[in-house]
Amino acid sequence: MPDDLPARLTGLATTVPPHVLDQAAVRAAAAEMLAGGAADTDRLLTVFDSAGIERRFATRPLNVLRQPSGWRERSAHYEAAALALIETAAKRALADAGLGAGEIDAIAVVSTTGIATPSLDARLMNRLAFRPDVECLPVFGLGCAGGVLGLGRAAALARAVPARRVLLLVVELCTHTFRPDDASKSNLVAAALFGDGAAGAVVSTHPDDAGPAITGWGEHTWPDSLDVMGWRVADDGLAVVFDRAIPSFVRSDFGPVLDAFLARNGLARGDLAGLACHPGGRKVIEALEAVLGVTPGGMTAAREVLRQHGNMSAPTALFVLRDLITHGPPDGPILASALGPGFTAGFALLHPESAA
């Protein structure tokens, strides 16, 4: 593929499920769950007040989320609800790109909060008019980094064959993993942070397609860091694994890794005109602002997505990216970044057409 034909972000769309989770209502439900249990209930509940979140969206209402359920029920719900979300995301992304499903050459679906076989992309082919020879790539296990890493995987797929169009779909049902019988601090943090959502993107090397150029992508996995973030399989679902030191880890270890990625692409931190960072939580945003030299509170797009949607894991950074592009793309490079299980940092660079 010639160097003058980069992969372009031709379409980008987001979607959320119908049920709204008001943070105050979720806090009250958590207080009931903890009643008569932990001695430091009041201290534990402050995580809801300091999260920087007003509301989130879920595929099930709060009263249902509070009921215990096992793997069979959770899997059936995931298959139906995640499929419905990526169908909407696909339609919106295709419309944003001005394309039909029959013009897509490959589909990549990124998700870590459930398992489906046949995969979600195979199920989607029975709902939209994709060609039967479309290549499908289901991707599991990337966690919160899945949206950014997925963007890089989609760009690589598009670059592999001339004039290729790839539909990237990212969906997570993070509230689906909440386990009401678990009064641990990590489960409480998950209850205070997580929401559900999906994003769709069309990444293309077709000469007729326009959009920001995806000029670089990469990742870094720190050794001996498997216990920083992830899921632990429990009898009644996936239990969240969070290391409380993630913000301090960002402050001490993220900068050199970012600098190395930027240097490989001929850039430095000062060259960045836009930031689409995954808002894993308020303290993570504060740490990223410090590392990136942003005035405290200045990462407004990430903070607004967190406030209105919570942490949706993989799709969240694409929500931030869409916000940046929708409100006028910066006149220069945009950095998309996220941290996920591994412990891994994912990066992607985008240039508006005027700056590509």
Side-chain angles (χ1 to χ4, degrees):
M1 174 66 65
D3 290 338
D4 60 351
L5 276 179
R8 294 192 177 276
L9 182 61
T10 303
L12 180 61
T14 59
T15 188
V16 292
H19 301 289
V20 179
L21 299 181
D22 178 78
Q23 186 75 326
V26 181
R27 187 189 193 281
E32 290 182 18
M33 183 183 78
L34 292 173
D40 54 351
T41 294
D42 290 341
R43 182 182 65 81
L44 290 174
L45 289 173
T46 59
V47 67
F48 289 89
D49 308 320
S50 61
I53 296 170
E54 290 184 6
R55 65 172 186 174
R56 289 160 283 158
F57 295 86
T59 56
R60 296 182 292 178
L62 181 58
N63 66 313
V64 176
L65 289 171
R66 295 180 61 180
Q67 302 303 314
S69 59
W71 272 107
R72 184 189 300 270
E73 182 180 347
R74 289 172 184 263
S75 294
H77 173 74
Y78 172 83
E79 290 174 3
L83 179 58
L85 281 173
I86 65 167
E87 180 180 4
T88 300
K91 290 177 178 177
R92 291 181 179 178
L94 289 169
D96 191 51
L99 298 172
E103 297 175 273
I104 294 298
D105 303 299
I107 306 169
V109 176
V110 176
S111 187
T112 306
T113 48
I115 300 172
T117 305
S119 57
L120 293 176
D121 37 13
R123 295 166 190 259
L124 186 65
M125 289 185 67
N126 289 300
R127 294 195 175 197
L128 299 180
F130 295 107
R131 301 193 317 268
D133 64 344
V134 165
E135 295 182 14
C136 292
L137 177 65
V139 182
F140 176 84
L142 298 179
C144 292
V148 174
L149 292 177
L151 201 60
R153 303 292 193 271
L157 284 172
R159 293 270 296 173
V161 178
R164 196 182 215 191
R165 290 170 171 142
V166 179
L167 176 62
L168 170 68
L169 298 168
V170 185
V171 60
E172 300 292 8
L173 307 190
C174 294
T175 65
H176 163 264
T177 64
F178 176 68
R179 298 158 52 251
D181 290 334
D182 179 6
S184 68
K185 184 176 181 180
S186 59
N187 194 43
L188 196 65
V189 170
L193 289 179
F194 280 152
D196 301 340
V202 177
V203 178
S204 173
T205 53
H206 196 288
D208 294 340
D209 296 342
I214 305 172
T215 58
W217 53 88
E219 59 200 275
H220 177 92
T221 299
W222 285 274
D224 302 319
S225 60
L226 295 177
D227 57 350
V228 173
M229 181 187 296
W231 300 120
R232 176 176 55 82
V233 178
D235 290 339
D236 57 348
L238 297 171
V240 68
V241 175
F242 275 142
D243 190 317
R244 63 183 299 175
I246 292 175
S248 60
F249 191 100
V250 171
R251 291 176 184 270
S252 62
D253 292 74
F254 184 75
V257 169
L258 171 62
D259 288 339
F261 167 74
L262 292 174
R264 291 195 297 271
N265 288 275
L267 297 172
R269 296 187 211 183
D271 298 319
L272 299 174
L275 299 171
C277 300
H278 169 62
R282 180 182 59 80
K283 291 183 179 180
V284 174
I285 294 178
E286 291 172 353
L288 288 169
E289 287 175 339
V291 171
L292 292 164
V294 178
T295 303
M299 206 174 284
T300 55
R303 288 179 178 272
E304 183 63 12
V305 168
L306 182 68
R307 185 175 72 87
Q308 293 290 340
H309 300 280
N311 182 345
M312 299 168 285
S313 190
T316 319
L318 299 182
F319 275 66
V320 179
L321 179 60
R322 182 177 180 273
D323 185 82
L324 287 175
I325 294 174
T326 300
H327 292 89
D331 187 19
I334 300 172
L335 172 72
S337 71
L339 296 164
F343 185 56
T344 299
F347 304 105
L349 283 170
L350 298 95
H351 283 61
E353 288 189 271
S354 60

